[in-house]
Amino acid sequence: MEKRESIQRREATLLDLRSYLFSRQCTLLLFLQRPWEVAQRALELLHNCVQELKLLESMGGN
Protein backbone atom coordinates (compact mmCIF):
# COMPACT_ATOMS: atom_id res chain seq x y z
CA MET A 1 0.00 0.00 0.00
CA GLU A 2 2.87 2.36 0.75
CA LYS A 3 4.29 2.05 -2.77
CA ARG A 4 0.83 2.54 -4.24
CA GLU A 5 0.35 5.74 -2.26
CA SER A 6 3.74 7.11 -3.32
CA ILE A 7 2.83 6.35 -6.95
CA GLN A 8 -0.46 8.21 -6.55
CA ARG A 9 1.38 11.19 -5.03
CA ARG A 10 3.85 11.03 -7.95
CA GLU A 11 6.75 10.57 -5.54
CA ALA A 12 7.74 7.07 -6.64
CA THR A 13 10.93 6.25 -8.46
CA LEU A 14 10.98 4.18 -11.62
CA LEU A 15 12.21 1.23 -9.57
CA ASP A 16 9.32 1.70 -7.11
CA LEU A 17 6.85 1.65 -9.98
CA ARG A 18 8.40 -1.42 -11.55
CA SER A 19 8.47 -3.37 -8.31
CA TYR A 20 4.86 -2.43 -7.54
CA LEU A 21 3.69 -3.57 -10.98
CA PHE A 22 5.72 -6.77 -10.70
CA SER A 23 4.23 -7.57 -7.31
CA ARG A 24 0.72 -7.05 -8.68
CA GLN A 25 1.51 -9.33 -11.64
CA CYS A 26 2.83 -12.00 -9.28
CA THR A 27 -0.27 -11.81 -7.12
CA LEU A 28 -2.51 -12.25 -10.14
CA LEU A 29 -0.46 -15.06 -11.65
CA LEU A 30 -0.39 -16.96 -8.36
CA PHE A 31 -4.15 -16.48 -8.02
CA LEU A 32 -4.50 -17.95 -11.52
CA GLN A 33 -2.26 -20.87 -10.40
CA ARG A 34 0.50 -20.07 -12.91
CA PRO A 35 3.64 -19.94 -10.74
CA TRP A 36 5.94 -20.79 -13.67
CA GLU A 37 5.02 -17.44 -15.21
CA VAL A 38 6.10 -15.67 -12.01
CA ALA A 39 9.56 -17.21 -12.40
CA GLN A 40 9.66 -16.38 -16.11
CA ARG A 41 8.64 -12.75 -15.54
CA ALA A 42 11.12 -12.42 -12.67
CA LEU A 43 13.95 -13.44 -14.99
CA GLU A 44 12.78 -10.95 -17.62
CA LEU A 45 12.54 -8.17 -15.03
CA LEU A 46 16.02 -8.87 -13.70
CA HIS A 47 17.49 -9.02 -17.20
CA ASN A 48 15.90 -5.69 -18.11
CA CYS A 49 17.10 -4.05 -14.90
CA VAL A 50 20.68 -5.23 -15.50
CA GLN A 51 20.57 -3.91 -19.07
CA GLU A 52 19.26 -0.54 -17.92
CA LEU A 53 21.89 -0.28 -15.18
CA LYS A 54 24.62 -0.96 -17.75
CA LEU A 55 23.14 1.73 -19.99
CA LEU A 56 22.98 4.23 -17.13
CA GLU A 57 26.58 3.46 -16.15
CA SER A 58 27.79 4.06 -19.69
CA MET A 59 25.89 7.36 -19.85
CA GLY A 60 27.44 8.45 -16.55
CA GLY A 61 30.90 8.73 -18.07
CA ASN A 62 32.54 6.26 -15.69
Side-chain angles (χ1 to χ4, degrees):
M1 290 301 284
E2 184 178 320
K3 289 217 188 287
R4 183 177 176 176
E5 291 171 3
S6 68
I7 291 168
Q8 290 174 335
R9 290 189 310 265
R10 297 182 181 189
E11 298 172 352
T13 65
L14 179 58
L15 186 57
D16 290 336
L17 180 60
R18 282 179 178 239
S19 56
Y20 173 75
L21 292 174
F22 179 70
S23 70
R24 300 302 297 157
Q25 284 181 345
C26 290
T27 300
L28 180 59
L29 289 169
L30 292 172
F31 177 76
L32 295 172
Q33 298 180 357
R34 292 162 43 185
W36 64 92
E37 284 193 47
V38 172
Q40 179 182 4
R41 289 177 190 243
L43 287 174
E44 292 170 5
L45 176 74
L46 291 172
H47 176 74
N48 289 336
C49 287
V50 168
Q51 294 301 318
E52 288 177 9
L53 285 172
K54 286 180 182 179
L55 179 63
L56 289 172
E57 284 178 1
S58 68
M59 292 175 59
N62 292 336

